[in-house]
Amino acid sequence: QYVGIPCELICEYIDHCAKNGKRGTQYLVKASLGFFEESELDTVEKFSEYLALREAADENVNKMRSLLGIGGRALTTTQKQYFTRWFEERQHTFELVRYAYEITVDKIDKPNLKYMDTILERWFSQGILTVEHAEKDRESYKKENEGENNDTFDFDEFLAIAKNRDI
């Protein structure tokens, strides 16, 4: 009560730390004070929701490590930023992020987090939250742009234009 944190909440936090191998008294005092000063978690329910979100995000990050072939090495700052945005801030499902990955690899033949983020940003801004909705959006996008193929050009037309070009 001295610091304004409910006793039940402190107990939950200590339990969480203990489950993660953090049992030192000094650590618990310092970490809990810092954690609760920076967060707006003032009830056991909010803290439980926070932990569930963190655990789901961590699980999704591990799935992304596997999908991208990152393995056990440390994530780069950029990778952490993308994963935090996708799984914590926007709470995308792993399946939706995986679908963005598949589109990226189909389009440019390699994984690219920036490209994936562009896809996910577009979907997020349009309220697309499921793979099913994203598939429908992709199909309608393809239909709208059916006649446009920016990957190829008419070589004969190119030669004709090049021959007639003034130098």
Side-chain angles (χ1 to χ4, degrees):
Q1 291 176 345
Y2 174 73
V3 291
I5 304 169
C7 197
E8 304 83 29
L9 189 52
I10 292 173
C11 290
E12 286 292 321
Y13 185 78
I14 290 171
D15 184 54
H16 168 71
C17 290
K19 287 178 183 173
N20 289 297
K22 307 291 186 181
R23 294 183 173 90
T25 306
Q26 258 188 326
Y27 171 83
L28 292 173
V29 170
K30 187 176 180 181
S32 64
L33 289 175
F35 179 80
F36 289 111
E37 283 178 7
E38 293 176 12
S39 72
E40 296 179 15
L41 304 174
D42 54 1
T43 66
V44 173
E45 292 77 23
K46 287 181 184 177
F47 183 66
S48 295
E49 289 173 14
Y50 166 80
L51 287 181
L53 177 63
R54 288 283 316 145
E55 288 171 8
D58 290 346
E59 184 179 323
N60 287 333
V61 168
N62 287 334
K63 289 178 183 177
M64 289 302 299
R65 284 175 167 282
S66 176
L67 184 66
L68 297 170
I70 294 172
R73 74 158 170 80
L75 296 173
T76 66
T77 301
T78 303
Q79 289 169 332
K80 287 179 189 176
Q81 289 170 341
Y82 282 125
F83 296 161
T84 298
R85 181 179 314 131
W86 299 342
F87 298 120
E88 292 179 42
E89 295 169 13
R90 298 195 178 146
Q91 299 181 22
H92 289 308
T93 63
F94 173 74
E95 291 74 21
L96 187 66
V97 175
R98 183 186 180 112
Y99 187 57
Y101 164 85
E102 290 172 5
I103 291 170
T104 300
V105 173
D106 286 347
K107 189 72 173 167
I108 63 173
D109 288 328
K110 64 181 179 180
N112 182 301
L113 297 180
K114 186 174 182 178
Y115 196 97
M116 289 170 62
D117 190 56
T118 301
I119 294 169
L120 291 164
E121 172 66 31
R122 184 173 158 277
W123 289 342
F124 184 76
S125 68
Q126 294 181 350
I128 296 172
L129 305 173
T130 65
V131 173
E132 294 77 22
H133 195 176
E135 287 172 338
K136 288 177 185 174
D137 177 71
R138 187 172 186 208
E139 288 305 313
S140 65
Y141 179 81
K142 282 181 179 179
K143 286 179 184 175
E144 289 173 13
N145 299 302
E146 228 169 40
E148 301 173 25
N149 186 354
N150 297 329
D151 294 339
T152 63
F153 64 93
D154 185 332
F155 188 70
D156 293 331
E157 181 182 346
F158 172 77
L159 285 177
I161 293 170
K163 285 180 185 177
N164 294 328
R165 186 172 149 216
D166 290 332
I167 297 180

